[in-house]
Amino acid sequence: MAISSNLSHLFKIIFIISLSLVSTFAEIRSSEIRSDDRSIIPFDEFGFTHTGRLELNVSHISLSNPNPELDLSQIGFFLSTRDSWIHVLQQIQDLDITCALQSELVKVVYTFDKLKGAKELGIVYSESESNQFTLVFANCLPQLQVSMDVRSEMYNLDGKNSNRDYLSAGKTVLPRVYFLFFLAYFSLSAIWVYFLYKKKSTVYHIHYFMLAVLILKSLNLLCEAEDKSYIKRTGSAHGWDVLFYIFSFLKGITLFTLIVLIGTGWSFLKPYLQDKEKKVLMIVIPLQVVANIAQVVIDESGPYAQDWITWKQVFLLVDVVCCCAVLFPIVWSIKNLREAARTDGKAAVNLMKLTLFRHYYIVVICYIYFTRVVVYALETITSYRYLWTSVVAGELATLAFYVFTGYKFRPEVHNPYFMIDDDEEEAAAEAKLEDEFEL
């Protein structure tokens, strides 16, 4: 009873956490398992239609204790939905079964008792039930370590010619979605270039930086569209994932930097950054490097890797820290403007700037909350067939944030954000000289 209870607890912790964090990788995956004694190893999650297929090839199979008396029917691969797994856990808890492979609620793909001494296996499994399944390896023999090379392909047959679609049923439309958003950002870039040309006299350095952010976002979406398109057809990104990671990294750094620069009023309120604001950038940029490294590890390894959950937690933590860090400059600007509004004779101008910065602060918080919390919640609760809607929601929120930022900080003569009088320019220059003198 104690062993069954411990097994149940282990199943519950490892598998449920893994499923709650797993992404739909949905491409040809090659995995190496070495001396692993985990009871449950989740691989890819995939949304099947009624024409689903799983091609599973396992080679170099090795057990730490190759005893012929071992019950190898308790080691093998199976497919399970999240709902089914909850009931399987209950069956183990009630001692109805001792291994998930014994449950009638899972779809057993292959058990090792069929190996008959062989060191490899190859199987094509057809799935006619439309649902989202996770490919799982179960090892219900305590302290037995398993080593093997696993190559899995999950796809749906689409069309009269039975073409393979390697994207999950809920994400097969993503190539078109990303391409449409690329066109939207490309159009915004063209409009922004037009504004910069027409309003040369009121253009600041930060406006060119905003153009760079738009261009990098456009290229990021184009690479994402091509990446998903190749995966959909072939199961492999063919190098487009490398370009995606590069532009995703550059886009992330430039976007967070832009928010910091706007929050400090750089370029249009003052021509320099204070030391504390520079420190924010020095924190955000390295954290973005760590976040992108974590993202690459998460995407390229998959949940079968022993450190996958750790990297996922690192990514989430770093992302939250970056989001919080970029808010500080806006808070500092609001504080400085509030103090200036109380003491400066030109209180009306400062109050107007204060109100505008408050609005931007609220919009930044809403953007961060929606893209980090609401989008994740949508992905969690939405049916597997409509997982693309969470991507659309996140991209629409990002597009709205870009449009709001561009509109509020567009190069206009009478833009309240850019209303700087001679006294403010002199004060900024004096402050800069004081900082240089202290250095």
Side-chain angles (χ1 to χ4, degrees):
M1 183 178 294
I3 294 176
S4 298
S5 178
N6 291 334
L7 276 175
S8 174
H9 186 64
L10 186 60
F11 272 92
K12 190 171 183 179
I13 292 177
I14 296 177
F15 194 79
I16 293 296
I17 290 178
S18 299
L19 285 184
S20 66
L21 295 175
V22 71
S23 300
T24 306
F25 300 97
E27 58 188 279
I28 298 174
R29 179 76 61 181
S30 295
S31 314
E32 293 184 358
I33 306 298
R34 294 292 178 265
S35 301
D36 202 320
D37 61 354
R38 285 179 289 174
S39 299
I40 287 294
I41 304 177
F43 288 83
D44 288 344
E45 189 177 35
F46 192 80
F48 285 113
T49 63
H50 64 282
T51 58
R53 296 289 187 277
L54 162 63
E55 291 188 13
L56 182 64
N57 293 278
V58 186
S59 59
H60 302 100
I61 301 173
S62 175
L63 304 179
S64 62
N65 181 21
N67 190 333
E69 297 182 359
L70 290 176
D71 184 6
L72 296 183
S73 65
Q74 297 191 62
I75 306 176
F77 293 88
F78 67 89
L79 292 171
S80 175
T81 64
R82 298 186 186 184
D83 292 338
S84 295
W85 185 251
I86 300 299
H87 294 91
V88 172
L89 287 176
Q90 188 61 49
Q91 289 179 329
I92 296 175
Q93 187 69 35
D94 296 340
L95 303 181
D96 295 332
I97 58 175
T98 58
C99 181
L101 291 166
Q102 299 172 349
S103 176
E104 71 282 356
L105 300 176
V106 303
K107 297 177 180 289
V108 178
V109 176
Y110 194 91
T111 54
F112 278 19
D113 59 319
K114 299 176 184 177
L115 286 173
K116 306 299 183 183
K119 298 297 182 181
E120 60 183 46
L121 66 93
I123 186 174
V124 178
Y125 183 88
S126 299
E127 181 52 63
S128 59
E129 179 185 351
S130 298
N131 211 327
Q132 182 150 304
F133 291 90
T134 300
L135 175 63
V136 185
F137 176 75
N139 175 11
C140 300
L141 299 179
Q143 300 179 348
L144 179 68
Q145 297 180 346
V146 179
S147 298
M148 58 185 172
D149 295 335
V150 181
R151 187 177 188 273
S152 61
E153 298 183 31
M154 289 192 283
Y155 55 86
N156 294 308
L157 298 178
D158 185 29
K160 295 180 180 179
N161 297 326
S162 297
N163 296 322
R164 294 185 178 187
D165 185 350
Y166 286 93
L167 284 181
S168 180
K171 296 193 174 184
T172 188
V173 300
L174 284 185
R176 283 176 286 176
V177 169
Y178 284 122
F179 186 74
L180 288 175
F181 277 106
F182 157 73
L183 293 178
Y185 280 97
F186 182 81
S187 302
L188 282 179
S189 301
I191 293 172
W192 194 248
V193 170
Y194 172 78
F195 269 104
L196 296 184
Y197 177 77
K198 293 288 290 184
K199 306 290 183 179
K200 292 180 181 179
S201 59
T202 56
V203 172
Y204 293 89
H205 293 303
I206 198 168
H207 291 124
Y208 294 108
F209 193 86
M210 293 165 75
L211 175 62
V213 173
L214 275 176
I215 293 173
L216 288 173
K217 176 65 176 177
S218 301
L219 293 174
N220 177 242
L221 286 167
L222 179 62
C223 292
E224 181 86 7
E226 288 298 324
D227 177 58
K228 291 294 186 290
S229 179
Y230 269 95
I231 291 175
K232 178 182 174 72
R233 299 195 304 270
T234 67
S236 175
H238 291 283
W240 281 102
D241 53 342
V242 177
L243 290 175
F244 164 72
Y245 290 133
I246 292 173
F247 286 115
S248 180
F249 168 66
L250 294 175
K251 180 262 300 179
I253 286 181
T254 53
L255 177 58
F256 279 111
T257 302
L258 177 63
I259 295 175
V260 171
L261 294 178
I262 291 177
T264 60
W266 175 80
S267 184
F268 49 78
L269 286 184
K270 57 185 180 181
Y272 72 102
L273 294 176
Q274 297 177 357
D275 288 340
K276 60 182 179 181
E277 295 157 355
K278 292 178 182 178
K279 290 177 181 178
V280 172
L281 287 176
M282 291 302 101
I283 292 173
V284 168
I285 292 175
L287 286 177
Q288 279 294 297
V289 174
V290 174
N292 279 270
I293 292 174
Q295 186 64 62
V296 172
V297 174
I298 291 168
D299 290 347
E300 296 302 318
S301 63
Y304 72 87
Q306 292 187 351
D307 297 328
W308 185 85
I309 294 178
T310 301
W311 279 106
K312 189 74 173 179
Q313 292 171 340
V314 168
F315 173 76
L316 295 174
L317 176 62
V318 168
D319 193 47
V320 170
V321 172
C322 285
C323 292
C324 293
V326 298
L327 295 177
F328 285 112
I330 305 177
V331 175
W332 294 333
S333 295
I334 291 175
K335 179 182 177 182
N336 293 335
L337 288 172
R338 183 184 292 113
E339 293 174 353
R342 294 173 180 173
T343 59
D344 194 352
K346 301 179 178 63
V349 174
N350 288 317
L351 281 173
M352 184 179 297
K353 293 177 183 177
L354 175 61
T355 302
L356 290 170
F357 267 92
R358 281 175 176 169
H359 289 166
Y360 189 68
Y361 175 74
I362 293 172
V363 169
V364 171
I365 290 179
C366 291
Y367 166 70
I368 290 174
Y369 177 80
F370 189 89
T371 54
R372 269 64 181 180
V373 178
V374 176
V375 171
Y376 177 78
L378 282 174
E379 187 175 355
T380 303
I381 65 176
T382 303
S383 170
Y384 79 98
R385 286 184 174 274
Y386 304 103
L387 287 176
W388 59 270
T389 58
S390 62
V391 175
V392 171
E395 291 298 338
L396 283 176
T398 303
L399 181 62
F401 178 72
Y402 277 59
V403 171
F404 174 85
T405 302
Y407 178 77
K408 286 296 183 180
F409 297 96
R410 67 192 184 280
E412 290 286 350
V413 176
H414 300 293
N415 192 323
Y417 281 99
F418 308 150
M419 292 175 61
I420 310 174
D421 54 34
D422 295 337
D423 295 338
E424 289 176 311
E425 290 182 349
E426 292 176 2
E430 290 176 1
K432 184 177 182 181
L433 288 174
E434 289 176 1
D435 288 346
E436 293 176 351
F437 180 74
E438 289 177 359
L439 291 175

